């Protein structure tokens, strides 16, 4: 890597905000000998442009001695890798990169399932189900024009390859995507959690062909028994996979079964190998349901080393919410001594990104029945206040979303409210973003990777402090070990990410309203881990004067005067709290849950070649 090239590799014609200073500090951090540089940069700082500058500093093939033969070339490549990877866990972030003309030299490749076959009669078939994936010895005459193999070839041979984190991890050990000089990971704050998710093994009728025919032993909370079961299951699945592979031709459905078999076999073998390694450090947890077994790793440093840290010589990790350097390094298996932290300040005016206290009570399970009706009434007041502006409500869960929707419908403001389910979330979000109507979108798990610049959204509500689910055995295990600081940092990270959804540029503005009183306690307990720029927002928080509850005004009436965009509306007052406490009313209805997706996050990346 040549850090001196970082400033000159910046792709934009001019700098914005703190970009020039950030690049100089990143350059200095690498020149000081650090292998990893954490870049804590808030929303709107142009992280993708900064990331492109860092990838441009990667070692180039011509910067080494010319090898005399192929063997020497391979030896040098392993010792002195060239080129760079850009990767992000968010598909939407990769889409943004693909659409940015300033980043057109980032060569993007996606998983096979994202491409359609171009053979006659197969144009509606994804490449992972095309004849080349179904027929033994199939010789594709148009492979050089296949959109997947074309993108893969280009990305593997150009100096900057871009892909999702799932695809990047899955291609570890590939002859196509070898070790490179520089790896840049955008939105890196959740790297440990993503690794845990990718390394989790879900065994159930949807993920394991023939699961219903198995005699599943009692393995709940027993990793020893789970390892023995996993070994036998991998062998059984291997025999079934071999039978399919021996067939000269498979149907698309049979090809899908083969792929699921291979995914499960690989996962089970990884688990058994790691668990029985006398030097292994991973803690494995086992949960067993009525018709399922889930095997979960805690802080899988082994997984990150093989899929991430062994893939590059130098790393730059970008995020707005890497809150504690030492804790982050511990969670991902890095030595803090070889890691530098570069802080990038916020350049958006504080008055354009205000926080408002509209707390209605606690949203813990035992208080939720009392608090949700009041939050619904508060949302009506906010709809009155923002009668001609679109709003977003972060509901945290589908149960909370459904209960809020029922209350808002009962209040008569349902015509201005939209919601989504698990399967239709992307389409519902796209439709809401495209409308000019001042509709309010009740969202679930959209605190990250959502760009609502300008009039796409001017206000949002956080309904619940987003603490990790204590019913998750990994969360429960950590709390049993007293890792409450981790628990609170996880919630704060999500809050900060959510606050960045509605203010995306220096001249943009948007208000964030906090409805759960637990959020105020969270801010107090995590003050030492809070970035300076967000602490300023918290310290400047006020309590707005909302109009009297009038559902008719929320859907077309006159709500009266409102403060100017981005302005404040008065200090926190006891009378305001009392007024809101008198708004509590309404009966609660239960809401049934919905089945989660059964697709593996790695499924798109699986490559059988």
């Amino acid at each position: 890597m040549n850090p001196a090239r970082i400033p000159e590799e910046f792709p934009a014609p001019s700098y914005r905000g703190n970009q020039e200073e950030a690049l100089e500090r990143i350059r200095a951090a690498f020149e000081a000998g650090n292998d990893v540089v954490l870049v804590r940069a808030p929303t709107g700082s142009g992280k993708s442009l900064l990331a492109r500058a860092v990838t441009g500093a990667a070692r180039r093939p011509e910067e080494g001695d010319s090898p005399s033969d192929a063997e020497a070339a391979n030896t040098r490549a392993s010792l002195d890798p060239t080129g760079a990877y850009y990767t992000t866990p968010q598909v939407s972030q990769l889409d943004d990169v693909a659409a940015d003309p300033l980043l057109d030299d980032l060569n993007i490749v996606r998983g096979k399932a994202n491409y359609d076959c171009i053979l006659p009669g197969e144009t509606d078939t994804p490449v992972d189900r095309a004849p080349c994936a179904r027929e033994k010895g199939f010789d594709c005459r148009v492979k050089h024009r296949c959109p997947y193999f074309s993108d893969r070839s280009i990305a593997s041979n150009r100096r900057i390859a871009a892909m999702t984190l799932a695809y990047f991890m899955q291609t570890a050990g590939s002859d196509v995507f070898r070790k490179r000089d520089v790896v840049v990971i955008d939105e890196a704050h959740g790297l440990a959690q993503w690794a845990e998710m990718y390394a989790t093994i879900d065994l159930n009728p949807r993920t394991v062909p023939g699961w219903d025919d198995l005699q599943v032993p009692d393995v709940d909370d027993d990793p020893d028994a789970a390892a023995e079961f996993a070994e036998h299951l991998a062998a059984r699945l291997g025999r079934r996979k071999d039978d399919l592979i021996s067939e000269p031709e498979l149907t698309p459905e049979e090809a899908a079964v083969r792929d699921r078999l291979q995914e499960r076999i690989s996962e089970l073998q990884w688990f058994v190998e790691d668990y029985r390694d006398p030097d292994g450090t991973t803690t494995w947890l086992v949960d067993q349901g009525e018709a399922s077994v889930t095997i979960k790793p805690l802080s899988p440093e082994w997984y990150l080393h093989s899929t991430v840290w062994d893939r590059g010589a130098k790393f730059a990790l970008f995020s707005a919410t890497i809150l504690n350097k030492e804790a982050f390094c511990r969670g991902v298996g890095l030595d803090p001594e070889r890691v530098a932290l570069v802080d990038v300040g916020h350049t958006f005016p504080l008055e354009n990104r205000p926080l408002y206290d509209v707390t209605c009570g606690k949203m813990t399970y035992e208080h939720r029945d009392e608090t949700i009706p009041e939050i619904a009434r508060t949302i009506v007041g906010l709809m009155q206040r923002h009668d001609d502006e679109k709003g977003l409500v972060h509901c945290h869960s589908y149960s909370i979303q459904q209960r809020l929707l029922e209350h808002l419908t009962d209040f008569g403001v349902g015509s201005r409210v939209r919601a989504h389910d698990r399967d239709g979330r992307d389409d519902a979000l796209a439709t809401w973003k495209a409308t000019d109507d001042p509709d309010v979108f009740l969202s679930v798990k959209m605190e990250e990777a959502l760009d609502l610049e300008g009039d796409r959204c001017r206000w949002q509500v956080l309904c619940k402090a987003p603490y990790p689910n204590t019913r998750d055995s990994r969360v429960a295990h950590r709390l049993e070990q007293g890792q409450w600081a981790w628990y609170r940092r996880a919630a704060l990270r999500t809050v900060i990410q959510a606050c960045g959804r509605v203010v995306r540029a220096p001249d943009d503005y948007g208000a964030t309203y906090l409805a759960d009183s637990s959020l105020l306690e969270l801010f107090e307990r995590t003050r030492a881990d809070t970035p300076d720029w967000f602490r300023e927002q918290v310290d400047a928080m006020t309590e707005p004067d909302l109009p009297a509850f009038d559902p008719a005004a929320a859907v077309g009436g006159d709500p009266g005067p409102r403060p100017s965009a981005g302005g404040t509306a008065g200090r926190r007052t006891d009378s305001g709290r009392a007024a809101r406490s008198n708004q509590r009313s309404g009966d609660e209805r239960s809401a049934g849950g919905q089945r989660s997706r059964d697709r593996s996050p790695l499924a798109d990346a699986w490559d059988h070649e």
Side-chain angles (χ1 to χ4, degrees), residues 416-573:
R416 196 181 155 188
V417 177
R418 297 172 183 250
H420 65 88
D421 57 20
R422 286 180 173 88
D423 295 329
R425 55 183 283 130
D426 292 341
D427 289 341
L429 175 63
T431 301
W432 171 71
K433 288 170 67 175
T435 185
D436 292 330
D437 296 330
D439 289 351
V440 179
F441 192 63
L442 306 184
S443 72
V444 178
K445 303 302 181 186
M446 292 188 181
E447 294 91 350
E448 297 188 35
L450 182 59
D451 184 346
L452 298 176
E453 184 173 2
D455 290 336
R456 286 180 176 179
C457 187
R458 291 299 183 189
W459 59 281
Q460 61 180 348
V461 181
L462 271 63
C463 286
K464 185 181 184 303
Y467 288 104
N469 188 349
T470 55
R471 290 193 294 271
D472 186 311
S473 56
R474 281 175 295 211
V475 177
H477 183 86
R478 286 188 169 104
L479 295 184
E480 287 171 1
Q481 295 182 325
Q483 297 184 33
W484 291 96
W486 166 86
Y487 183 67
R488 289 188 284 265
R489 277 196 298 268
L492 177 64
R493 184 170 61 237
T494 302
V495 170
I496 296 175
Q497 287 286 334
C499 289
R501 297 312 97 207
V502 297
V503 186
R504 310 292 298 179
D507 58 349
D508 197 6
Y509 61 90
T512 298
Y513 297 91
L514 309 178
D516 181 3
S517 59
S518 296
L519 287 164
L520 306 182
E521 179 183 352
L522 173 66
F523 293 156
E524 293 178 2
R525 289 177 172 266
T526 58
R527 191 168 181 83
D529 288 322
T530 304
D532 292 345
W533 57 267
F534 190 73
R535 193 182 305 125
E536 292 176 353
Q537 282 183 254
V538 173
D539 290 344
M541 181 167 51
T542 60
E543 181 175 308
D545 295 322
L546 297 184
F549 181 73
D550 184 356
V555 290
D558 180 12
R562 287 185 298 143
S564 59
T568 60
R571 283 288 170 192
R572 193 177 293 124
T573 63

Side-chain angles (χ1 to χ4, degrees), residues 176-190:
V176 177
F177 292 107
R178 299 183 178 181
K179 181 177 181 178
R180 295 200 174 191
D181 185 35
V182 173
V183 177
V184 170
I185 304 177
D186 206 351
E187 302 297 337
H189 52 273

Side-chain angles (χ1 to χ4, degrees), residues 189-460:
H189 52 273
L191 189 57
Q193 288 71 36
W194 281 87
E196 286 183 353
M197 184 184 74
Y198 292 153
T200 292
I201 306 171
D202 288 313
L203 307 175
N204 56 63
R206 296 188 303 275
T207 63
V208 179
W211 176 263
D212 292 335
D213 298 329
L214 294 173
Q215 293 290 330
V216 181
D218 182 7
V219 297
D220 191 39
D221 201 25
D222 187 347
D224 285 329
E228 184 175 350
F229 171 62
E231 192 171 38
H232 290 300
L233 180 58
R236 175 171 177 148
L237 298 182
R239 291 191 293 270
R240 183 169 180 184
K241 184 199 74 171
D242 291 343
D243 290 341
L244 287 172
I245 291 176
S246 67
E247 295 293 328
E249 182 176 351
L250 302 177
T251 65
E253 292 75 21
E254 289 171 331
V257 170
R258 177 205 60 201
D259 293 352
R260 285 204 303 274
L261 289 169
Q262 182 59 66
E263 290 172 14
R264 297 296 86 75
I265 293 167
S266 297
E267 292 172 345
L268 293 167
Q269 290 174 340
W270 289 340
F271 161 56
V272 172
E273 179 181 354
D274 181 79
Y275 181 71
R276 291 184 175 166
D277 182 354
D279 298 322
T281 60
T282 307
T283 298
W284 290 93
L285 305 176
V286 182
D287 298 334
Q288 186 167 13
E290 184 176 343
S292 66
V293 172
T294 304
I295 305 171
K296 304 176 181 180
L298 274 175
S299 302
E301 290 91 349
W302 60 273
Y303 187 80
L304 285 171
H305 274 288
S306 61
T307 61
V308 176
W309 307 132
D310 290 344
R311 308 285 300 280
K314 300 289 185 180
F315 292 82
L317 310 184
F318 287 80
S319 173
T321 50
I322 296 176
L323 301 179
N324 182 292
K325 172 188 165 182
E326 286 69 25
F328 177 83
C329 290
R330 286 196 304 271
V332 299
L334 290 175
D335 178 4
E337 294 300 318
R338 51 185 279 262
V339 178
L341 175 62
V342 171
D343 255 321
V344 180
H346 212 315
T347 59
F348 294 3
L350 184 60
E351 61 270 19
N352 285 11
R353 46 187 172 96
L355 294 179
Y356 291 116
D357 175 4
V358 292
T359 51
C360 304
K362 287 184 176 292
M363 279 292 286
T364 50
Y365 189 78
E366 61 271 22
H367 295 103
R368 197 169 298 174
D369 288 348
E370 181 182 1
T371 305
I372 284 180
E374 186 174 349
I375 291 179
R377 293 179 67 91
T378 298
I379 291 172
V380 172
L382 295 172
M383 292 170 69
Q384 297 172 236
R385 189 177 198 227
H386 298 273
D387 63 305
D388 59 351
E389 294 175 331
K390 295 165 69 173
L392 177 73
V393 179
H394 295 282
C395 299
H396 186 73
S397 71
Y398 284 98
S399 174
I400 294 173
Q401 179 207 57
Q402 183 62 29
R403 294 169 73 177
L404 285 174
L405 180 60
E406 291 172 352
H407 280 290
L408 293 171
T409 301
D410 289 345
F411 290 151
V413 298
S415 62
R416 196 181 155 188
V417 177
R418 297 172 183 250
H420 65 88
D421 57 20
R422 286 180 173 88
D423 295 329
R425 55 183 283 130
D426 292 341
D427 289 341
L429 175 63
T431 301
W432 171 71
K433 288 170 67 175
T435 185
D436 292 330
D437 296 330
D439 289 351
V440 179
F441 192 63
L442 306 184
S443 72
V444 178
K445 303 302 181 186
M446 292 188 181
E447 294 91 350
E448 297 188 35
L450 182 59
D451 184 346
L452 298 176
E453 184 173 2
D455 290 336
R456 286 180 176 179
C457 187
R458 291 299 183 189
W459 59 281
Q460 61 180 348

